[in-house]
């Protein structure tokens, strides 16, 4: 839990965990609703799947692939506006999950002031990817919706092979204190 000053008193706020964007995927039928996958950068490496709209998925995918469009898309425009007024995106945080809907905030700094703006996670992520700002998720959100990734068969085989190689080449002296 971190403290932040709120006027006359102190407010306790939940901890946020740094995340990385892993992918944007379009699942198989019936919904074909795109999903963005975030993963913890450390710790349990939980993944956080968030269903998003098709336009936002396209915007995130284009940015991940470093594809520039002939004209600025909405999130490019947001970045350009922030650049023009000298504002920086300090961080994006997935803050809550209520009734199946994720909520996010974008923390901006400009002219010595810090402001927090409510956002849909998809828009916040699309902007963060363009700017290179960090993405976080509140611990409570990860506890509720995060999943620990299970290695697929190929990853499991690779881990076993690496362990066998380690065993084949290890010497008792390697463990001497």
């Amino acid at each position: 839990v971190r403290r932040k000053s709120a006027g006359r008193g102190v407010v306790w706020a939940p901890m946020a965990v740094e995340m990385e964007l892993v992918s944007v995927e379009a699942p198989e039928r019936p919904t074909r609703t795109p999903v963005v996958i975030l993963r913890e950068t450390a710790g349990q490496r939980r993944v956080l799947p968030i269903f998003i709209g098709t336009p936002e998925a396209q915007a995130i995918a284009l940015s991940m692939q470093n594809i520039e469009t002939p004209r600025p898309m909405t999130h490019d425009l947001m970045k350009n506006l922030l650049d023009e007024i000298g504002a920086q995106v300090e961080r994006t945080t997935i803050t809550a999950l209520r009734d199946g809907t994720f909520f996010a905030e974008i923390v901006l700094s400009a002219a010595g002031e810090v402001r927090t703006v409510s956002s849909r996670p998809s828009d916040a992520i699309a902007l963060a990817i363009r700017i290179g700002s960090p993405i976080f998720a509140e611990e409570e959100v990860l506890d509720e919706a995060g999943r620990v990734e299970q290695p697929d068969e190929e990853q499991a085989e690779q881990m076993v092979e690496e362990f066998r190689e380690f065993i084949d080449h290890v010497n008792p002296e390697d463990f001497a204190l």
Side-chain angles (χ1 to χ4, degrees), residues 2 13-18 91-94 136-139 142:
R2 67 175 182 268
M15 290 296 291
V17 176
E18 189 165 6
R91 69 192 288 159
T92 290
T93 305
I94 311 304
F136 291 83
E138 294 293 351
E139 185 69 46
L142 283 168

Side-chain angles (χ1 to χ4, degrees), residues 30-41:
T31 63
R32 310 256 321 144
T33 302
V35 62
V36 64
I37 307 293
L38 301 175
R39 180 176 51 216
E40 284 181 287
T41 59

Side-chain angles (χ1 to χ4, degrees), residues 17 19 35-40 42 44-50 94 96-97 102 137-150:
V17 176
M19 308 294 286
V35 62
V36 64
I37 307 293
L38 301 175
R39 180 176 51 216
E40 284 181 287
Q44 298 177 53
R45 307 276 295 165
R46 291 172 287 185
V47 295
L48 183 63
I50 302 173
I94 311 304
L97 174 59
F102 287 93
E138 294 293 351
E139 185 69 46
E140 289 178 357
V141 173
L142 283 168
D143 287 344
E144 185 173 346
R147 298 182 178 100
V148 176
E149 271 189 314
Q150 298 299 321

Side-chain angles (χ1 to χ4, degrees), residues 151-158:
D152 62 24
E153 198 172 310
E154 185 177 315
Q155 289 173 321
E157 267 184 47
Q158 182 179 351

Side-chain angles (χ1 to χ4, degrees), residues 69-137:
T69 57
R71 305 273 301 150
M73 295 181 65
T74 303
H75 302 96
D76 299 316
L77 173 62
M78 291 169 59
K79 177 190 179 304
N80 294 344
L81 288 169
L82 293 170
D83 288 345
E84 191 62 33
I85 64 170
Q88 286 84 38
V89 174
E90 299 297 328
R91 69 192 288 159
T92 290
T93 305
I94 311 304
T95 57
L97 174 59
R98 291 190 294 269
D99 300 322
T101 301
F102 287 93
F103 293 81
E105 293 179 344
I106 301 170
V107 177
L108 305 168
S109 64
E113 292 187 33
V114 175
R115 307 248 178 190
T116 302
V117 179
S118 180
S119 175
R120 296 184 306 175
S122 56
D123 290 324
I125 292 167
L127 182 61
I129 295 304
R130 281 165 173 70
I131 292 174
S133 64
I135 300 170
F136 291 83

